[in-house]
Amino acid sequence: MMILGKLLLGVIGLALATFIGGFISGLDRKITARMQSRFGPPLAQPFYDVLKLWGKAPMAVNAWLVLCAYLTLMASALSVFLFFAQSDLLLIFFVMTIGAVFQVMGALSVNSPFSHVGAQRELLQMFTYEPLIILVIIGIAMHTGSFSIASIYALDTPLLYSMPFLYVALGIAFTIKLRKSPFDISASHHGHQEIVRGVLTEYTGRQLAMLEVAHWLDVVLLLGLCSLFWSTSAIGLFLLLAVTYFAELFVDNVSARLTWGWMIKRALGPGVALAMVNLLWLYAIK
Amino acid sequence: MINLKEWINKGRLKSPWVVHFDCGSCNGCDIEILACLTPVHDVERFGIINVGNPKHADVLLVSGTVNHRNKIALKNIYDQMAEPKAVIAIGACGLSGGVFHDCYNVVGGVNKVIPVDVYVPGCPPRPEAIIDGVVVALEQIKIKLGLAEAPAVHAVHME
Ligand code: SF4
């Protein structure tokens, strides 16, 4: 019965996450536009984009690209499903990584130099955000004594009180995963044109639609990870997510795109340092 | 229950992504195209995005005259766009060759190389005219999709 309930929770969560992810993306574009004193697109714009892309004539360069798009979407969906089914954090992390890796493999399977440069940079981005997320998960495990999400919901004080620095590290990883400035290095968001679309250059039509949906799901998953830091009250959780996302948008709009070398020096270094300080603190108060 | 096809058609009309190709323009038209993206005109409110990749684009904006060198590139970009797609020729040069029409190297207007759906006249046309051109191109796509009747006039007049 327990397992059935969790499966059901996962399926409902996944369905909701797709819609919420799309609307978050729409809200993102709207708020960004307002920050730039523009009017901005309608809230449902990401859905229009995906529907249109779905209806485009097929133009995939090779079969590998199509397979990779499917696998990326499946991995993202599976990781969100596992999250809502309150599974193991490490498992969720590995499934999420598989999706990112297949996206890169697809981009490397074609001849386009833009796609290749984008893929290499995407690997560097993964190299930067993955250690940070892993350290956050280790911190959670040190605090609760288990990798399972259920054990976090059993806590009676929010994780944020004991892991503030790890939350900042997670914020850095989130910005990189969102591909927002200053980390829109491998592929940029709409309206910006770094190396055409970088890792997304060769994905067209349906494949691009699938990667777009996969991106929504990734955003929801990362927001889910952030939400674990205030698991004790729904209002606190919502406020934390709203403030975090608004901070992401703010950083995106006030900073320029920087290079991958800067990212590794200024994001990975301080991120790991913050995480380590917090881990030592957790170790000391044990 | 609305079926998927109708949803897709709605999406097509609500999210035209444009790619801009400068076919030897004097940059007058290019500046006006980029002006459409600024806060004053903000084409993103119609879902229009300026993409850098013909493979992601629905509408091709061409400014400037076509010459014997860049006609190959123009054709290449057009061929890389997936159906359904539309082409908009911008400015006197894109329409007919404009002031450069009798140069030895000039082929002429964009329609000598690829089929053009909408002509936006002007030297350069105002950003409003260019935005209107995209809206008219959407009407053309509607006709291609069988959602509307063909109108008599295709050109945009704004002045
Ligand atoms: S139409 Fe006028 S402004 Fe446009 S490219 Fe030609 S000469 Fe320049």
Side-chain angles (χ1 to χ4, degrees):
Chain A
M1 208 51 225
M2 207 35 199
I3 291 186
L4 217 64
K6 280 193 172 176
L7 283 181
L8 197 67
L9 212 62
V11 172
I12 295 173
L14 180 57
L16 269 180
T18 316
F19 273 94
I20 292 175
F23 277 113
I24 288 176
S25 168
L27 198 65
D28 178 328
R29 284 170 67 177
K30 190 94 192 166
I31 297 176
T32 302
R34 285 294 162 91
M35 282 183 178
Q36 299 166 354
S37 66
R38 291 187 289 116
F39 188 73
L43 208 55
Q45 188 61 44
F47 293 101
Y48 295 138
D49 291 348
V50 162
L51 282 168
K52 174 205 71 184
L53 287 171
W54 190 261
K56 292 289 263 182
M59 278 229 324
V61 186
N62 60 33
W64 190 228
L65 205 67
V66 180
L67 179 73
C68 287
Y70 272 105
L71 289 172
T72 308
L73 178 60
M74 270 161 54
S76 293
L78 187 61
S79 58
V80 170
F81 169 82
L82 287 171
F83 182 84
F84 281 98
Q86 302 201 353
S87 165
D88 187 296
L89 278 172
L90 274 184
L91 182 64
I92 294 171
F93 173 77
F94 290 135
V95 173
M96 184 188 91
T97 308
I98 289 175
V101 167
F102 271 107
Q103 183 173 351
V104 171
M105 299 228 305
L108 285 172
S109 73
V110 292
N111 280 328
S112 156
F114 294 117
S115 189
H116 276 235
V117 175
Q120 312 280 4
R121 292 184 182 182
E122 177 71 19
L123 286 175
L124 285 163
Q125 301 215 142
M126 287 168 66
F127 172 73
T128 313
Y129 72 72
E130 292 201 335
L132 299 179
I133 295 184
I134 275 282
L135 286 172
V136 169
I137 293 176
I138 290 173
I140 292 177
M142 269 174 79
H143 189 68
T144 63
S146 137
F147 282 113
S148 119
I149 294 179
S151 67
I152 299 170
Y153 285 114
L155 294 174
D156 41 12
T157 50
L159 269 182
L160 191 62
Y161 288 157
S162 43
M163 301 167 57
F165 294 139
L166 276 169
Y167 192 73
V168 178
L170 183 61
I172 296 174
F174 192 24
T175 319
I176 300 173
K177 188 75 189 165
L178 271 175
R179 301 209 184 94
K180 289 212 172 284
S181 292
F183 305 121
D184 45 353
I185 299 167
S186 71
S188 59
H189 215 252
H190 290 302
H192 312 235
Q193 292 180 2
E194 179 70 347
I195 43 171
V196 190
R197 276 303 297 277
V199 72
L200 300 174
T201 302
E202 290 296 321
Y203 291 98
T204 51
R206 261 177 211 197
Q207 286 76 48
L208 190 62
M210 281 191 266
L211 289 193
E212 194 63 31
V213 175
H215 186 68
W216 300 348
L217 291 173
D218 283 349
V219 170
V220 172
L221 179 67
L222 265 287
L223 280 175
L225 276 183
C226 291
S227 78
L228 294 179
F229 280 74
W230 207 287
S231 55
T232 47
S233 91
I235 298 170
L237 183 152
F238 181 77
L239 277 180
L240 181 69
L241 293 189
V243 168
T244 308
Y245 207 86
F246 190 78
E248 296 290 350
L249 287 178
F250 185 74
V251 169
D252 182 36
N253 277 292
V254 297
S255 54
R257 175 183 301 123
L258 293 163
T259 60
W260 63 266
W262 187 90
M263 175 179 70
I264 288 179
K265 255 188 264 153
R266 296 293 153 83
L268 185 59
V272 170
L274 280 171
M276 282 303 176
V277 168
N278 208 152
L279 287 181
L280 283 175
W281 176 18
L282 283 178
Y283 186 73
I285 60 172
K286 266 264 140 135
Chain B
M1 182 75 194
I2 309 174
N3 63 25
L4 184 63
K5 201 152 183 92
E6 279 175 39
W7 280 105
I8 289 177
N9 281 341
K10 196 170 160 67
R12 279 172 177 155
L13 299 176
K14 289 258 189 185
S15 117
W17 291 0
V18 302
V19 61
H20 167 217
F21 181 53
D22 171 2
C23 226
S25 147
C26 77
N27 279 171
C29 287
D30 304 335
I31 290 170
E32 300 301 324
I33 290 172
L34 294 177
C36 300
L37 307 173
T38 59
V40 178
H41 300 287
D42 184 28
V43 286
E44 205 193 354
R45 67 201 145 110
F46 305 121
I48 302 174
I49 287 176
N50 184 21
V51 293
N53 184 352
K55 294 190 166 190
H56 294 175
D58 308 294
V59 177
L60 174 60
L61 300 181
V62 190
S63 56
T65 54
V66 182
N67 59 39
H68 290 285
R69 275 292 214 196
N70 64 26
K71 69 179 181 195
I72 304 156
L74 178 61
K75 181 85 176 66
N76 202 348
I77 289 176
Y78 179 76
D79 289 340
Q80 284 186 53
M81 292 169 62
E83 291 285 353
K85 59 188 169 187
V87 178
I88 306 180
I90 289 175
C93 297
L95 267 55
S96 62
V99 286
F100 308 112
H101 73 279
D102 55 359
C103 292
Y104 65 95
N105 60 336
V106 164
V107 180
V110 175
N111 59 8
K112 292 268 170 64
V113 183
I114 56 176
V116 175
D117 297 276
V118 180
Y119 299 89
V120 182
C123 181
R126 301 167 71 88
E128 289 92 334
I130 296 171
I131 297 172
D132 205 31
V134 176
V135 174
V136 174
L138 290 180
E139 295 296 320
Q140 296 289 310
I141 289 188
K142 253 193 207 171
I143 294 162
K144 276 190 199 167
L145 296 172
L147 298 176
E149 298 277 304
V153 189
H154 291 187
V156 188
H157 297 289
M158 292 278 294
E159 215 58 67

